Amino acid sequence: MCEFSDSPQEFSSHASLLSSPSIMAKHLIYSTQSPEAGNLHYYHLPKGWLHVQLVEQTIQGESKVSLRLTERTLPDPAQLYFLQYESNYTSQDTLSVQFQPQGYLKSISTQKEYPKNEEGLGDLAGGGAMPSFPGQTARSIGPAPQKNFGFGTEKSLLETLIDPFDYQALEALNEALENLHSGTKISFEGKTHFQALGQSKGAKGEKKPGIFCRQVVAFPISTSLNGVKTQKIIHLPHPERTHFIEVPAISGTDNKLDIQFDDLGFPTAINLEKGSQAEAILTSPLRVIRSIFGVINEVFQLRIDLRDKATSALEKKLEYTQAQADVEKKQLEIKAEQEALRAQYAEEEKQRKEAELQISQAQVLALADEKAFVEERSFPDTDELKQYDMQLQVIRYSSGTQSTLGMLLDVTGGRKFLAYTLEDEFREAKEHGKTRIPAGTYEVKLRKEGGFHSRYSKKAGIKSIHKGMLHVTNVENFKFILIHIGNDDDDTEGCLLVADSAIQNIDQEGRITNSTKAYKRIYPPIANALEEGKTVGIQYIDYDRTS
């Protein structure tokens, strides 16, 4: 007689039969994938899925794309097992099976008691009707509508369930993610991480005395989004780890078996009570003994050890990887800060030089604006200078204790500022290497010999334009007065130094800066004029002297 409780997830079966020594004991419960072979309820094994969401969040006008991964566990339609109960004619059997709402096993309890006195022959347990069980209805997951959170909005770009162990599906998903947001990818190492353990043997439909279960294990999974790679651990049922637990049948002794399962149908506790354990061991087949006494060591301890070790190893690997990523991120931040500081320093230096140049130019312009200065002393009409094809003037405007500051002008057919100048200081009596040349008009020629010529012919940035040194000739009591590069009075012995900016020499030692840049600008037109056979004259005017 088969009796079912009011709940569709639980049923019990009892049979009280007359003992017969000639009939061997049978297993109480079998599992089969053949529907016609079952006469009780059916149960599922779990299957792991990955819920993937690609969403775009907009907060205060700024958009950000994020990738979310969530583990999902649903009944596996390919792993549906039907339970079959077979009565035992030599004992009184009690069988109780409970199910989870999803169709996974919740508990199994079997009890076999051999009657000590003769009892009436009861009803034989028949096939019984298959109880109805609510199946899983497949639902497709599509893009969710845009959500408003008050402080921003969230728009779903992609939402789907995927079997992460199906690498073709994973590849297709990655293509879709790449099309929606470049550089987005999911990598999963599910099948290669664990080796499959003892699966059931036998052809499809073969009855097995016991139940099947599937273990949940840890897997590494990594994602790439916006150039950032993230790794985490997910826990899913392994599709290749299908374990079989045999429900033993032992003749000639009373026994009771209880199996408790977790939420996904994996055994968490097995209790076996036997009236005569010694007799049971002697009369039981080897496979039954292995099933009874080896299940905890071979299955449960293996499950615990492997899961703990695998999870620990993956967590350590992810911690190390994350630490590396943090170091690289910090290095990039430091590099970005350094670049920002360099750019800030360069901008400040540029502004400082521009300010200095503006100040110097303002000072020059202020002096040039003085009408009397221009009319009386600035650009005198001298027949000496007019006889040259190219006419240059050096306006000496500031005399210091160790240097003289001036301006170099091109006054050929107009007035054009060329550069700032620096010479040695003024002296009544010449002192070698420390005296500027007298005011006057001189001729400039190319000097293609001497140490300066040799050095400038090889000097980087200069040698390509160098045709000879600009030589101020016919200076009384002075020889080899050149126009060249330099910054202060230590760089000249009566020569004329040129630059793009000047620092006053009133209460400090005068200096000029950016000399090379100015020289490379003013040299070519003067040298080219000389190469073309034109004459060049230069006039030194002492505006820094009152007498």
Side-chain angles (χ1 to χ4, degrees), residues 282-514:
L282 292 174
T283 59
S284 297
L286 179 60
R287 62 182 178 81
V288 176
I289 297 174
R290 182 181 296 116
S291 175
I292 295 173
F293 297 103
V295 68
I296 294 179
N297 289 332
E298 294 181 3
V299 177
F300 293 99
Q301 191 60 45
L302 181 62
R303 176 200 186 202
I304 294 171
D305 291 346
L306 284 179
R307 178 162 181 170
D308 289 348
K309 291 179 180 178
T311 302
S312 177
L314 287 173
E315 287 175 346
K316 289 180 179 179
K317 178 182 178 182
L318 294 185
E319 288 176 1
Y320 175 75
T321 304
Q322 188 61 45
Q324 279 187 318
D326 292 342
V327 170
E328 292 175 358
K329 181 180 179 182
K330 191 63 177 177
Q331 290 175 339
L332 290 176
E333 291 176 352
I334 293 174
K335 184 177 180 181
E337 291 177 359
Q338 291 175 340
E339 293 295 334
L341 289 174
R342 291 193 189 99
Q344 181 181 353
Y345 174 78
E347 181 63 25
E348 291 176 353
E349 185 67 12
K350 178 182 176 182
Q351 293 176 357
R352 184 185 65 79
K353 291 180 178 179
E354 289 178 350
E356 289 180 353
L357 182 60
Q358 289 175 359
I359 292 172
S360 298
Q361 291 175 341
Q363 292 172 346
V364 173
L365 292 175
L367 293 174
D369 285 342
E370 296 180 8
K371 186 177 181 180
F373 178 86
V374 174
E375 290 180 349
E376 296 176 11
R377 312 180 69 184
S378 185
F379 308 101
D381 272 342
T382 62
D383 294 335
E384 287 183 300
L385 189 59
K386 286 184 177 180
Q387 66 179 329
Y388 295 99
D389 298 322
M390 187 175 188
Q391 302 157 19
L392 305 176
Q393 280 188 338
V394 176
I395 310 299
R396 293 166 168 167
Y397 63 82
S398 180
S399 182
T401 58
Q402 296 182 6
S403 63
T404 299
L405 295 177
M407 295 181 297
L408 177 64
L409 304 176
D410 182 357
V411 294
T412 308
R415 295 169 184 163
K416 179 180 177 183
F417 174 82
L418 297 182
Y420 292 98
T421 63
L422 185 142
E423 303 169 78
D424 280 320
E425 62 271 29
F426 170 80
R427 293 180 185 276
E428 292 288 349
K430 176 186 174 182
E431 185 176 340
H432 179 72
K434 295 183 179 181
T435 308
R436 73 190 192 189
I437 66 175
T441 303
Y442 309 98
E443 184 175 3
V444 178
K445 296 183 178 181
L446 287 176
R447 176 179 171 81
K448 299 185 178 183
E449 57 187 355
F452 269 91
H453 172 69
S454 177
R455 288 195 297 273
Y456 278 39
S457 298
K458 303 174 183 177
K459 188 176 181 65
I462 301 295
K463 62 182 181 180
S464 61
I465 63 172
H466 185 68
K467 303 176 184 297
M469 299 304 299
L470 299 178
H471 182 200
V472 182
T473 62
N474 301 323
V475 183
E476 188 177 359
N477 295 327
F478 288 82
K479 293 196 308 182
F480 311 130
I481 302 302
L482 306 177
I483 301 174
H484 61 81
I485 299 169
N487 300 112
D488 55 33
D489 66 299
D490 292 334
D491 298 329
T492 178
E493 293 183 359
C495 293
L496 185 69
L497 309 181
V498 294
D500 273 347
S501 58
I503 301 174
Q504 57 90 8
N505 61 357
I506 299 172
D507 57 2
Q508 64 181 11
E509 183 178 349
R511 284 180 57 82
I512 55 175
T513 58
N514 294 325

Side-chain angles (χ1 to χ4, degrees), residues 31 49 51 94 98 124 139 168 188 230 259 284 290 295 317 321 342 380-381 383 386 448 546:
S31 293
W49 296 83
H51 184 200
T94 301
Q98 290 185 327
L124 298 179
R139 292 185 298 171
Q168 291 183 346
F188 182 65
T230 305
I259 307 178
S284 297
R290 182 181 296 116
V295 68
K317 178 182 178 182
T321 304
R342 291 193 189 99
D381 272 342
D383 294 335
K386 286 184 177 180
K448 299 185 178 183
T546 58

Side-chain angles (χ1 to χ4, degrees), residues 45 79 81 196-200 212-215 238-244 266:
L45 295 190
Q79 296 293 327
Y81 292 94
L197 298 181
Q199 297 183 347
S200 61
F212 293 88
C213 58
R214 179 170 282 171
Q215 181 180 2
H238 198 298
E240 296 179 351
R241 282 196 154 195
T242 301
H243 301 285
F244 179 73
F266 195 90

Side-chain angles (χ1 to χ4, degrees), residues 109-382:
S109 176
T110 66
Q111 185 170 0
K112 183 162 30 182
E113 296 181 359
Y114 291 88
K116 297 180 175 56
N117 300 314
E118 290 188 357
E119 300 178 2
L121 192 63
D123 295 333
L124 298 179
M130 175 71 72
S132 62
F133 184 79
Q136 296 291 330
T137 303
R139 292 185 298 171
S140 62
I141 299 180
Q146 179 170 304
K147 301 177 184 178
N148 195 323
F149 297 99
F151 57 88
T153 60
E154 180 178 289
K155 178 182 178 182
S156 177
L157 303 178
L158 174 70
E159 184 174 8
T160 186
L161 275 179
I162 183 176
D163 180 359
F165 299 95
D166 185 347
Y167 287 96
Q168 291 183 346
L170 186 61
E171 183 177 352
L173 173 62
N174 281 328
E175 290 181 4
L177 291 173
E178 176 68 24
N179 291 333
L180 289 170
H181 190 70
S182 179
T184 306
K185 185 178 181 181
I186 300 174
S187 301
F188 182 65
E189 303 175 7
K191 287 195 173 182
T192 59
H193 190 67
F194 287 103
Q195 183 180 2
L197 298 181
Q199 297 183 347
S200 61
K201 298 179 180 179
K204 180 179 179 182
E206 178 184 357
K207 294 189 300 182
K208 287 290 181 178
I211 52 92
F212 293 88
C213 58
R214 179 170 282 171
Q215 181 180 2
V216 175
V217 293
F219 298 100
I221 191 168
S222 61
T223 61
S224 297
L225 180 68
N226 298 325
V228 178
K229 187 173 183 181
T230 305
Q231 291 185 303
K232 62 180 291 188
I233 295 175
I234 61 173
H235 293 84
L236 293 174
H238 198 298
E240 296 179 351
R241 282 196 154 195
T242 301
H243 301 285
F244 179 73
I245 307 277
E246 184 172 358
V247 178
I250 305 176
S251 62
T253 181
D254 297 342
N255 65 76
K256 181 179 180 180
L257 175 68
D258 286 315
I259 307 178
Q260 301 296 324
F261 301 86
D262 61 17
D263 292 341
L264 297 180
F266 195 90
T268 58
I270 295 181
N271 298 309
L272 179 63
E273 299 177 5
K274 296 185 290 295
S276 176
Q277 184 170 345
E279 181 182 356
I281 293 175
L282 292 174
T283 59
S284 297
L286 179 60
R287 62 182 178 81
V288 176
I289 297 174
R290 182 181 296 116
S291 175
I292 295 173
F293 297 103
V295 68
I296 294 179
N297 289 332
E298 294 181 3
V299 177
F300 293 99
Q301 191 60 45
L302 181 62
R303 176 200 186 202
I304 294 171
D305 291 346
L306 284 179
R307 178 162 181 170
D308 289 348
K309 291 179 180 178
T311 302
S312 177
L314 287 173
E315 287 175 346
K316 289 180 179 179
K317 178 182 178 182
L318 294 185
E319 288 176 1
Y320 175 75
T321 304
Q322 188 61 45
Q324 279 187 318
D326 292 342
V327 170
E328 292 175 358
K329 181 180 179 182
K330 191 63 177 177
Q331 290 175 339
L332 290 176
E333 291 176 352
I334 293 174
K335 184 177 180 181
E337 291 177 359
Q338 291 175 340
E339 293 295 334
L341 289 174
R342 291 193 189 99
Q344 181 181 353
Y345 174 78
E347 181 63 25
E348 291 176 353
E349 185 67 12
K350 178 182 176 182
Q351 293 176 357
R352 184 185 65 79
K353 291 180 178 179
E354 289 178 350
E356 289 180 353
L357 182 60
Q358 289 175 359
I359 292 172
S360 298
Q361 291 175 341
Q363 292 172 346
V364 173
L365 292 175
L367 293 174
D369 285 342
E370 296 180 8
K371 186 177 181 180
F373 178 86
V374 174
E375 290 180 349
E376 296 176 11
R377 312 180 69 184
S378 185
F379 308 101
D381 272 342
T382 62

Side-chain angles (χ1 to χ4, degrees), residues 29-177:
I29 189 168
Y30 295 84
S31 293
T32 174
Q33 287 189 307
S34 177
E36 61 272 12
N39 60 2
L40 297 180
H41 216 306
Y42 58 85
Y43 64 93
H44 284 279
L45 295 190
K47 179 176 177 63
W49 296 83
L50 204 59
H51 184 200
V52 182
Q53 291 176 288
L54 186 68
V55 298
E56 181 180 18
Q57 294 175 316
T58 303
I59 300 175
Q60 296 181 348
E62 294 187 4
S63 296
K64 177 183 179 182
V65 176
S66 59
L67 183 63
R68 301 171 184 168
L69 304 180
T70 309
E71 301 103 316
R72 290 285 184 88
T73 304
L74 298 174
D76 190 345
Q79 296 293 327
L80 176 64
Y81 292 94
F82 295 85
L83 293 173
Q84 182 186 43
Y85 164 77
E86 290 190 5
S87 60
N88 192 330
Y89 296 99
T90 62
S91 64
Q92 177 176 305
D93 303 336
T94 301
L95 170 66
S96 176
V97 183
Q98 290 185 327
F99 298 85
Q100 302 283 356
Q102 296 86 357
Y104 310 134
L105 288 173
K106 183 176 182 180
S107 67
I108 294 178
S109 176
T110 66
Q111 185 170 0
K112 183 162 30 182
E113 296 181 359
Y114 291 88
K116 297 180 175 56
N117 300 314
E118 290 188 357
E119 300 178 2
L121 192 63
D123 295 333
L124 298 179
M130 175 71 72
S132 62
F133 184 79
Q136 296 291 330
T137 303
R139 292 185 298 171
S140 62
I141 299 180
Q146 179 170 304
K147 301 177 184 178
N148 195 323
F149 297 99
F151 57 88
T153 60
E154 180 178 289
K155 178 182 178 182
S156 177
L157 303 178
L158 174 70
E159 184 174 8
T160 186
L161 275 179
I162 183 176
D163 180 359
F165 299 95
D166 185 347
Y167 287 96
Q168 291 183 346
L170 186 61
E171 183 177 352
L173 173 62
N174 281 328
E175 290 181 4
L177 291 173

